[in-house]
Coordinates of all heavy atoms in Angstrom, one line a residue:
I1 N 169.6 79.9 133.3 CA 170.1 79.5 132.0 C 169.2 80.1 131.0 O 168.0 79.6 130.9 CB 170.3 78.0 131.9 CG1 171.3 77.5 133.0 CG2 170.8 77.6 130.5 CD1 171.5 76.0 133.0
R2 N 169.5 81.0 130.2 CA 168.6 81.8 129.4 C 168.7 81.5 127.9 O 169.7 81.3 127.3 CB 168.9 83.3 129.5 CG 167.9 84.2 128.8 CD 168.3 85.7 129.0 NE 169.6 86.0 128.5 CZ 170.3 87.1 128.8 NH1 169.8 87.9 129.8 NH2 171.5 87.3 128.3
G3 N 167.5 81.3 127.3 CA 167.4 81.1 125.8 C 167.9 79.9 125.2 O 168.2 80.0 124.0
G4 N 168.0 78.9 126.0 CA 168.6 77.6 125.4 C 167.4 76.7 124.8 O 166.2 77.0 125.3
R5 N 167.7 75.8 124.0 CA 166.7 74.8 123.5 C 166.7 73.8 124.6 O 167.5 72.8 124.7 CB 167.2 74.2 122.2 CG 166.3 73.2 121.6 CD 166.9 72.5 120.5 NE 166.2 71.2 120.1 CZ 166.6 70.3 119.2 NH1 167.8 70.5 118.6 NH2 165.9 69.3 118.9
V6 N 165.6 73.8 125.4 CA 165.5 72.9 126.5 C 164.9 71.6 126.1 O 163.8 71.6 125.6 CB 164.7 73.6 127.7 CG1 164.5 72.6 128.9 CG2 165.4 74.8 128.2
I7 N 165.6 70.5 126.3 CA 165.0 69.2 125.9 C 164.9 68.3 127.2 O 165.9 68.1 127.9 CB 166.0 68.5 124.9 CG1 166.1 69.3 123.6 CG2 165.4 67.1 124.6 CD1 167.0 68.6 122.6
D8 N 163.7 68.0 127.5 CA 163.4 67.0 128.5 C 163.0 65.7 127.8 O 161.9 65.5 127.4 CB 162.3 67.4 129.5 CG 162.0 66.4 130.5 OD1 162.9 65.8 131.1 OD2 160.8 66.1 130.8
P9 N 164.0 64.7 127.7 CA 163.8 63.6 126.8 C 162.6 62.7 127.2 O 162.0 62.0 126.4 CB 165.1 62.8 127.0 CG 166.1 63.8 127.5 CD 165.3 64.7 128.3
L10 N 162.2 62.7 128.5 CA 161.1 61.8 129.0 C 159.8 62.3 128.4 O 158.8 61.6 128.3 CB 161.1 61.8 130.5 CG 160.2 60.6 131.1 CD1 160.7 59.2 130.7 CD2 160.2 60.8 132.6
T11 N 159.6 63.6 128.1 CA 158.4 64.2 127.7 C 158.6 64.8 126.3 O 159.6 64.6 125.7 CB 158.0 65.3 128.6 OG1 158.9 66.4 128.6 CG2 157.9 64.8 130.1
D12 N 157.7 65.5 125.8 CA 157.8 66.1 124.5 C 158.3 67.6 124.6 O 158.3 68.3 123.5 CB 156.3 66.3 123.9 CG 155.8 64.8 123.5 OD1 156.7 64.0 123.1 OD2 154.6 64.7 123.5
L13 N 158.8 67.9 125.7 CA 159.4 69.3 125.9 C 160.6 69.5 125.1 O 161.7 68.8 125.3 CB 159.7 69.6 127.4 CG 160.3 70.9 127.7 CD1 159.3 72.0 127.2 CD2 160.6 71.1 129.1
D14 N 160.6 70.3 124.1 CA 161.7 70.7 123.2 C 161.4 72.1 122.7 O 160.8 72.3 121.7 CB 161.9 69.7 122.1 CG 163.1 69.9 121.2 OD1 163.7 71.0 121.4 OD2 163.5 69.1 120.4
E15 N 161.9 73.1 123.6 CA 161.4 74.5 123.4 C 162.5 75.4 123.9 O 163.2 75.1 124.9 CB 160.1 74.6 124.1 CG 159.5 76.0 123.9 CD 158.1 76.1 124.6 OE1 157.6 75.0 125.0 OE2 157.6 77.2 124.7
V16 N 162.5 76.6 123.3 CA 163.5 77.6 123.8 C 162.9 78.3 125.1 O 161.7 78.8 125.0 CB 163.7 78.7 122.7 CG1 164.6 79.9 123.3 CG2 164.4 78.1 121.6
L17 N 163.5 78.1 126.2 CA 163.0 78.5 127.5 C 164.1 79.1 128.4 O 165.3 78.9 128.1 CB 162.3 77.3 128.2 CG 161.1 76.7 127.6 CD1 160.7 75.5 128.3 CD2 159.9 77.7 127.7
N18 N 163.7 79.7 129.4 CA 164.6 80.1 130.5 C 164.4 79.2 131.6 O 163.3 78.8 132.0 CB 164.4 81.6 130.9 CG 164.5 82.5 129.7 OD1 165.4 82.4 128.9 ND2 163.6 83.5 129.7
I19 N 165.6 78.8 132.3 CA 165.5 77.9 133.4 C 166.0 78.6 134.6 O 167.1 79.2 134.6 CB 166.4 76.6 133.2 CG1 166.0 75.9 132.0 CG2 166.4 75.8 134.4 CD1 166.9 74.7 131.7
G20 N 165.2 78.7 135.7 CA 165.6 79.4 136.9 C 165.9 78.3 137.9 O 165.2 77.4 138.1
I21 N 167.1 78.6 138.6 CA 167.6 77.6 139.6 C 167.7 78.3 141.0 O 168.3 79.4 141.0 CB 169.0 77.1 139.1 CG1 168.8 76.3 137.8 CG2 169.6 76.2 140.2 CD1 170.1 75.9 137.2
E22 N 167.2 77.7 141.9 CA 167.3 78.2 143.3 C 168.0 77.1 144.2 O 167.5 76.0 144.2 CB 165.9 78.6 143.8 CG 166.0 79.4 145.1 CD 164.6 80.0 145.5 OE1 163.7 79.7 144.8 OE2 164.6 80.7 146.5
N23 N 169.0 77.5 144.9 CA 169.8 76.5 145.6 C 170.3 75.4 144.7 O 171.0 75.6 143.7 CB 169.0 76.0 146.8 CG 168.7 77.1 147.8 OD1 169.6 78.0 148.1 ND2 167.5 77.1 148.4
D24 N 169.8 74.2 144.9 CA 170.3 73.0 144.2 C 169.2 72.5 143.2 O 169.5 71.5 142.6 CB 170.8 71.9 145.1 CG 169.7 71.5 146.1 OD1 168.6 72.1 146.0 OD2 170.0 70.6 146.9
K25 N 168.1 73.2 143.1 CA 167.0 72.6 142.2 C 166.5 73.6 141.2 O 166.6 74.8 141.3 CB 165.9 72.2 143.2 CG 166.2 71.0 144.1 CD 165.1 70.5 144.9 CE 165.4 69.2 145.7 NZ 164.3 68.8 146.5
I26 N 165.9 73.1 140.2 CA 165.2 73.9 139.2 C 163.9 74.3 139.8 O 163.1 73.6 140.3 CB 164.9 73.0 138.0 CG1 166.2 72.5 137.2 CG2 164.0 73.8 136.9 CD1 165.9 71.5 136.2
S27 N 163.7 75.6 139.8 CA 162.5 76.2 140.4 C 161.5 76.7 139.4 O 160.3 76.7 139.7 CB 162.8 77.4 141.3 OG 163.4 78.4 140.6
V28 N 162.0 77.0 138.2 CA 161.0 77.5 137.2 C 161.5 77.3 135.8 O 162.7 77.4 135.5 CB 160.7 79.0 137.4 CG1 162.0 79.8 137.4 CG2 159.7 79.5 136.5
L29 N 160.6 76.9 134.8 CA 160.8 76.9 133.4 C 159.8 77.9 132.8 O 158.6 77.9 133.1 CB 160.5 75.6 132.8 CG 161.4 74.4 133.2 CD1 160.9 73.1 132.6 CD2 162.8 74.6 132.7
T30 N 160.3 78.9 132.0 CA 159.4 79.9 131.6 C 159.9 80.6 130.3 O 161.1 80.5 130.0 CB 159.2 81.0 132.7 OG1 158.3 82.0 132.2 CG2 160.5 81.6 133.0
R31 N 159.0 81.2 129.6 CA 159.4 82.0 128.4 C 159.7 83.5 128.9 O 160.3 84.3 128.1 CB 158.3 82.1 127.4 CG 157.9 80.7 126.8 CD 156.9 80.7 125.8 NE 156.4 79.5 125.4 CZ 155.3 78.8 125.9 NH1 154.7 79.4 126.9 NH2 155.0 77.6 125.5
E32 N 159.3 83.8 130.1 CA 159.5 85.1 130.6 C 161.0 85.3 131.1 O 161.7 84.3 131.3 CB 158.6 85.4 131.8 CG 157.1 85.1 131.6 CD 156.5 86.1 130.6 OE1 157.0 87.2 130.4 OE2 155.6 85.7 129.9
E33 N 161.4 86.6 131.1 CA 162.7 86.9 131.6 C 162.8 86.6 133.1 O 161.8 86.8 133.9 CB 163.0 88.4 131.3 CG 163.3 88.7 129.8 CD 164.5 88.0 129.3 OE1 165.5 87.9 130.1 OE2 164.5 87.4 128.2
L34 N 164.0 86.3 133.5 CA 164.2 86.0 134.9 C 165.4 86.7 135.4 O 166.3 86.9 134.7 CB 164.5 84.4 135.1 CG 163.3 83.5 134.8 CD1 163.8 82.0 134.8 CD2 162.1 83.6 135.7
R35 N 165.4 87.1 136.7 CA 166.5 87.8 137.3 C 167.3 86.8 138.2 O 166.7 86.0 138.9 CB 166.0 88.9 138.1 CG 165.4 90.1 137.4 CD 164.8 91.1 138.2 NE 165.7 91.7 139.1 CZ 165.8 91.7 140.4 NH1 164.7 91.0 141.0 NH2 166.7 92.3 141.2
A36 N 168.6 86.9 138.2 CA 169.4 85.9 139.0 C 170.7 86.6 139.3 O 171.2 87.6 138.8 CB 169.7 84.7 138.2
N37 N 171.4 85.9 140.3 CA 172.8 86.4 140.7 C 173.7 86.1 139.5 O 174.7 86.9 139.4 CB 173.2 85.6 141.9 CG 172.4 85.9 143.2 OD1 172.0 87.1 143.3 ND2 172.1 84.9 144.0
R38 N 173.5 85.1 138.7 CA 174.3 84.9 137.6 C 173.4 84.3 136.5 O 172.5 83.5 136.7 CB 175.3 83.9 137.9 CG 176.3 83.7 136.7 CD 177.4 82.7 136.9 NE 178.3 82.6 135.7 CZ 179.2 81.7 135.5 NH1 179.5 80.7 136.4 NH2 179.9 81.7 134.4
T39 N 173.6 84.8 135.2 CA 172.9 84.3 134.1 C 173.8 83.8 133.0 O 174.8 84.4 132.7 CB 172.0 85.4 133.5 OG1 171.1 85.9 134.4 CG2 171.3 85.0 132.2
L40 N 173.5 82.6 132.5 CA 174.2 82.0 131.4 C 173.4 82.1 130.1 O 172.2 81.6 130.1 CB 174.5 80.5 131.7 CG 175.1 80.1 133.1 CD1 175.3 78.6 133.2 CD2 176.4 80.8 133.3
D41 N 174.0 82.7 129.1 CA 173.2 82.8 127.8 C 173.5 81.6 127.0 O 174.6 81.4 126.4 CB 173.8 84.1 127.1 CG 173.0 84.4 125.9 OD1 172.1 83.6 125.6 OD2 173.3 85.4 125.2
A42 N 172.4 80.7 126.9 CA 172.5 79.5 126.1 C 171.9 79.6 124.8 O 171.6 78.6 124.2 CB 171.8 78.4 126.9
S43 N 171.8 80.8 124.2 CA 171.2 81.0 122.9 C 171.9 80.1 121.9 O 173.1 80.1 121.8 CB 171.3 82.4 122.5 OG 170.6 83.2 123.4
G44 N 171.1 79.4 121.1 CA 171.7 78.5 120.0 C 172.2 77.2 120.5 O 172.7 76.4 119.8
L45 N 172.0 76.9 121.8 CA 172.6 75.7 122.4 C 171.5 74.9 122.9 O 170.4 75.3 123.3 CB 173.6 76.1 123.6 CG 174.8 77.0 123.2 CD1 175.6 77.3 124.4 CD2 175.6 76.3 122.2
V46 N 171.8 73.6 123.1 CA 170.9 72.6 123.8 C 171.1 72.6 125.2 O 172.3 72.5 125.7 CB 171.0 71.2 123.2 CG1 170.3 70.2 124.0 CG2 170.4 71.2 121.8

């Protein structure tokens, strides 16, 4: 999930990030580009 405003309500995380998912879990949060079998462009979305 690329370029979305990622909000983790339990912490102060509220930032535009890329979320990498492997199998059924989140494997990475990063500002870097990620490669995947499928990419969802979440630009401008929460």
Side-chain angles (χ1 to χ4, degrees):
I1 301 176
R2 182 178 64 198
R5 177 189 169 192
V6 177
I7 300 178
D8 178 42
L10 193 63
T11 66
D12 292 328
L13 179 62
D14 185 344
E15 186 176 346
V16 174
L17 294 170
N18 301 320
I19 301 176
I21 297 167
E22 192 170 5
N23 295 318
D24 56 0
K25 292 184 179 178
I26 297 169
S27 62
V28 57
L29 293 175
T30 181
R31 300 183 187 92
E32 306 294 333
E33 286 297 317
L34 298 170
R35 295 172 60 241
N37 295 324
R38 185 179 181 191
T39 297
L40 309 180
D41 185 359
S43 301
L45 304 175
V46 165

